[in-house]
Amino acid sequence: MAQVLEFKLPDLGEGLTEAEIVRWLVEVGEVVAVDQPVVEVETAKAMVEVPCPYGGVVTARFGEEGAELPVGAPLLTVAVGESAAARPAPDADGGGEAAEPARGGSAGPGGPRTGEPGTGEPRSEGSGNVLVGYGTSEAPARRRRVRPDRAATLAAGARMNGRDRGADPAPEGPVPVISPLVRRLARQHDLDLRELTGSGPDGLILRADVEYALRAAAAQGGRTAVPADGALAAGAVRAPAAGVSGASSASSARSGGIRTPLKGVRGAVADKLSRSRREIPDATCWVDADATELMRARTAMNAGGGPRISLVALLARICTAALARFPELNSTVDTEAREIVQLDQVHLGFAAQTDRGLVVPVVRDAHARDAEALTAEFARLTESARAGRLTPGEVTGGTFTLNNYGVFGVDGSTPILNHPEAAMLGVGRIVPKPWVYEGELAVRQVVQLSLTFDHRVCDGGTAGGFLRYVADCVEQPAVLLRTL
């Protein structure tokens, strides 16, 4: 006898609480193997392929591509057992509760478990190899009851919704809703989803259907008002539809334009930079340096016919050498213990602009790599960043950041630190400029270097010493050779 097991969005680590479905890798009715990737999701850190711990037939998918799901929300259900292959697929792809998990099923980090003593249900073991924190769920929570005084008004709006879309209201049974946001929206406004007819594929109830019903109810004298742009936030104020106040007019005036949700990489960047600005008292110092000799040294290194050395790799070598002399800048502040934690390894982050936004891949143990190894690792991580294949481990754990904003054609910047790091070296564009060289005016390749640092970990003397050493290495690469 086949059992239907529910697979939830696992804990993806690093404190991540939600993920956006980018692409489904399996269809309803398809047979999947244990540990087969079933969905590609995007977190605030990276793209991740999520494998399923069960082998069997996919009976339902919970979430459209582009939907955002919290950790622990259902992803899909799988029929496992001897008769799984013969199990018919549900009418709707991702039909919410169309496939109900086995009662009493549970799972944890040790592997999925189904069946309880006395139920007569066989036991099915999964692989246990699904990142962290997956598992089957208990029976779905009961629907929230509609208050009698609101049922008539909301039902009228729902019936109008069904008539306008040329369909009858959905019958009793599983509600075809896959988005937790839609369920929450309906719950907040005491709306019975069974009264709605979905406009999505196979009658799927979308957010637009819920908002339409609420606006229809408000137009008929209900007490729930929906903003003109259709956005309903949690805890929104409920006000009579009649009598537009000055505040409502101001809200309507702000409803125009393009709205972009702060989620995924953009949301993570916003959260981290806001926290950095709130918590870290940063300061910036800068200096112009003559990079002519560094550029000549790189040209000579690449003339030998071996692997080409990148400029950013040479700058990274200079950074690690400078951090060995000024280790205070390779640290973080433990605010709870009120301690400065000086770190042993240099995990060097570097800013990379991609189609998904700004990401900061991390080169592990940069202090132990030579210029050739650094070049190869920078290239690998940059390619992964642009392809959206970075793992959460490749964008976390940095201790110092190298920010080459010269690629954008600018000379200088005062960046915000990558919390919880204590410092960031900025490198501007390298351009020909008039420069006094050996007592005479000459045209040299000049670059502006800047150091932004957490003033809690050091004072200006340390920061200035670090930046001056970096500038000396840029101007005279032999300085670096003498200190290695």
Side-chain angles (χ1 to χ4, degrees):
M1 177 180 178
Q3 290 181 330
V4 179
L5 304 180
E6 185 180 78
F7 173 46
K8 296 179 177 181
L9 177 65
D11 180 355
L12 302 173
E14 299 293 341
L16 301 172
T17 59
E18 59 193 11
E20 179 180 336
I21 295 175
V22 176
R23 182 167 60 99
W24 281 105
L25 306 178
V26 295
E27 300 290 340
V28 172
E30 184 176 336
V31 177
V32 295
V34 172
D35 292 343
Q36 175 181 335
V38 293
V39 66
E40 186 180 65
V41 301
E42 180 181 21
T43 69
K45 304 290 185 183
M47 293 276 199
V48 178
E49 284 189 352
V50 181
C52 179
Y54 312 127
V57 178
V58 178
T59 58
R61 300 188 313 191
F62 297 81
E64 297 175 322
E65 293 181 355
E68 195 170 78
L69 300 180
V71 168
L75 268 180
L76 51 77
T77 53
V78 179
V80 301
E82 294 180 0
S83 60
R87 183 181 180 89
D91 293 337
D93 180 13
E97 296 132 349
E100 202 172 348
R103 300 284 180 178
S106 63
R113 302 183 300 275
T114 59
E116 292 181 347
T119 63
E121 295 177 347
R123 186 178 180 89
S124 174
E125 296 292 339
S127 68
N129 295 330
V130 187
L131 303 178
V132 184
Y134 62 88
T136 55
S137 71
E138 302 296 333
R142 218 178 304 175
R143 286 188 300 112
R144 182 173 178 178
R145 291 185 175 275
V146 181
R147 296 200 309 267
D149 62 336
R150 294 188 46 75
T153 301
L154 290 173
R159 285 194 297 272
M160 181 182 297
N161 178 25
R163 284 197 300 271
D164 287 352
R165 301 181 195 278
D168 294 328
E172 286 296 321
V175 182
V177 180
I178 59 175
S179 171
L181 297 177
V182 172
R183 293 183 183 276
R184 183 176 65 181
L185 183 60
R187 238 185 354 257
Q188 289 171 348
H189 297 275
D190 298 324
L191 175 61
D192 188 349
L193 289 171
R194 296 179 187 275
E195 298 288 344
L196 300 185
T197 297
S199 61
D202 298 313
L204 187 67
I205 297 176
L206 308 177
R207 175 172 176 170
D209 301 322
V210 174
E211 293 173 348
Y212 185 92
L214 294 175
R215 280 196 294 270
Q220 294 189 10
R223 291 177 294 151
T224 302
V226 180
D229 61 354
L232 277 171
V237 178
R238 298 180 180 180
V244 179
S245 65
S248 299
S249 300
S251 177
S252 297
R254 291 193 300 267
S255 65
I258 300 174
R259 291 175 178 254
T260 303
L262 277 175
K263 63 178 183 179
V265 172
R266 188 74 259 160
V269 170
D271 293 340
K272 176 164 281 195
L273 295 184
S274 297
R275 182 178 182 184
S276 179
R277 185 59 84 197
R278 285 195 308 268
E279 296 183 6
I280 299 179
D282 58 352
T284 301
C285 54
W286 57 89
V287 64
D288 288 342
D290 179 1
T292 306
E293 298 304 322
L294 180 67
M295 300 298 286
R296 288 176 179 170
R298 176 174 176 257
T299 300
M301 294 172 70
N302 290 334
R308 295 185 63 82
I309 305 301
S310 67
L311 179 61
V312 70
L314 294 179
L315 292 170
R317 289 291 291 123
I318 293 173
C319 277
T320 57
L323 289 172
R325 295 171 66 92
F326 300 92
E328 299 94 329
L329 294 169
N330 191 54
S331 61
T332 186
V333 175
D334 186 336
T335 54
E336 293 185 2
R338 291 185 62 81
E339 295 175 342
I340 298 172
V341 182
Q342 195 171 113
L343 305 168
D344 297 328
Q345 289 83 26
V346 177
H347 301 317
L348 187 67
F350 65 98
Q353 190 69 38
T354 71
D355 292 340
R356 299 169 56 238
L358 179 69
V359 294
V360 184
V362 177
V363 177
R364 303 284 168 182
D365 298 316
H367 60 288
R369 300 175 186 257
D370 59 18
E372 184 177 325
L374 285 168
T375 298
E377 186 65 358
F378 277 122
R380 184 188 72 81
L381 291 171
T382 300
E383 181 182 357
S384 296
R386 290 172 178 167
R389 296 194 306 266
L390 288 173
T391 65
E394 291 175 327
V395 290
T396 55
T399 64
F400 186 93
T401 294
L402 174 61
N403 189 357
N404 180 19
Y405 43 75
V407 297
F408 301 115
V410 298
D411 296 326
S413 172
T414 55
I416 301 175
L417 291 177
N418 188 21
H419 186 281
E421 296 172 15
M424 175 187 296
L425 178 69
V427 181
R429 60 177 180 160
I430 300 176
V431 292
K433 287 185 178 181
W435 190 266
V436 176
Y437 178 69
E438 295 182 348
E440 295 184 358
L441 188 63
V443 176
R444 305 286 285 181
Q445 300 292 319
V446 179
V447 61
Q448 185 179 100
L449 305 171
S450 64
L451 178 72
T452 299
F453 63 99
D454 185 340
H455 223 316
R456 295 174 298 180
V457 305
C458 69
D459 295 324
T462 300
F466 175 95
L467 188 59
R468 186 64 257 170
Y469 176 80
V470 170
D472 289 345
C473 290
V474 167
E475 293 184 340
Q476 304 176 44
V479 172
L480 178 61
L481 295 176
R482 287 198 299 267
T483 61
L484 294 180

